[in-house]
């Protein structure tokens, strides 16, 4: 934590991502029961640079919400409680509001009616050929499905999905410029 402390009772369970030297951490603020994204700019905890993502009127847990970035905007991925839709919402890098990038100003439904699956992690990268993809790891029965999405149309690319059989849930993925 770089010797710094949050002003509130903040638990960072929802993922971490980076744009340049700025880090973004998502978690719950147990003082006022909200889900927020916090910024760390360089070596400074930017406690003013936070974004309220959800409040008590929207169900969330540390298993169905994750953070991702494309290097420009910050995205929050979650499953909607009633419909079970897998949703992606983009924010500006300074967390001043929703993304202004074309095709990202409204919530993006990645999959309709998938259910209340746990999200292990999400990562942005490419297929090794320069084609950008969003990968989302979900708990699916006894296997752990990692689904690929086209970053222009948001359509699922099932030929690039893969599964991890049995064992523990995927809690983290990374991108190494060639493979996830």
């Amino acid at each position: 934590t770089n010797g710094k402390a949050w002003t509130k009772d903040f638990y960072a369970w929802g993922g971490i991502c980076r744009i340049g030297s700025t880090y973004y951490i998502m978690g719950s603020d147990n003082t006022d029961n909200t889900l927020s994204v916090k910024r760390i700019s360089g070596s400074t905890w930017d406690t003013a640079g936070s974004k309220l993502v959800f409040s008590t009127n929207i169900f969330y847990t540390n298993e169905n919400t994750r953070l991702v970035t494309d290097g420009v905007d910050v995205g929050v991925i979650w499953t909607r409680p009633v419909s079970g839709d897998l949703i992606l919402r983009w924010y500006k890098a300074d967390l001043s509001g929703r993304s202004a990038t074309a095709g990202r100003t409204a919530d993006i439904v990645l999959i309709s009616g998938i259910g209340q699956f746990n999200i292990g992690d999400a990562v942005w990268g490419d297929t090794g050929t320069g084609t950008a993809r969003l990968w989302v790891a979900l708990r699916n029965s006894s296997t752990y499905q990692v689904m690929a999405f086209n970053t222009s149309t948001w359509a699922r690319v099932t030929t690039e999905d893969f599964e991890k059989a049995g064992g523990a849930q995927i809690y983290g993925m990374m991108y190494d410029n060639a493979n996830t």
Side-chain angles (χ1 to χ4, degrees), residues 113-169:
I114 194 168
Q116 287 297 307
F117 288 99
N118 296 338
I119 301 173
D121 203 3
V123 68
W124 187 279
D126 73 39
T127 60
T129 62
T131 305
R133 291 289 184 259
L134 168 67
W135 282 279
V136 180
L138 291 181
R139 169 93 165 107
N140 183 5
S141 184
S142 62
T143 61
Y144 299 97
Q145 178 97 16
V146 179
M147 297 181 294
F149 296 92
N150 180 305
T151 59
S152 298
T153 64
W154 305 111
R156 187 167 167 196
V157 185
T158 57
T159 57
E160 295 174 12
D161 290 352
F162 58 95
E163 292 183 351
K164 178 181 180 290
Q169 179 172 346

Side-chain angles (χ1 to χ4, degrees), residues 49-124:
S50 66
K51 181 68 182 172
L52 174 67
V53 182
F54 300 120
S55 61
T56 54
N57 64 338
I58 298 179
F59 174 78
Y60 64 86
T61 72
N62 62 350
E63 296 178 336
N64 74 344
T65 312
R66 286 295 177 263
L67 201 57
V68 69
T69 184
D70 66 345
V72 177
D73 291 328
V74 177
V76 176
I77 299 174
W78 79 96
T79 52
R80 190 172 281 155
V82 176
S83 65
D85 296 344
L86 184 65
I87 306 292
L88 170 60
R89 178 181 291 173
W90 289 104
Y91 293 96
K92 297 176 186 175
D94 64 2
L95 300 178
S96 64
R98 299 286 293 268
S99 173
T101 304
R104 296 184 179 183
T105 57
D107 289 348
I108 298 164
V109 178
L110 296 172
I111 299 177
S112 295
I114 194 168
Q116 287 297 307
F117 288 99
N118 296 338
I119 301 173
D121 203 3
V123 68
W124 187 279

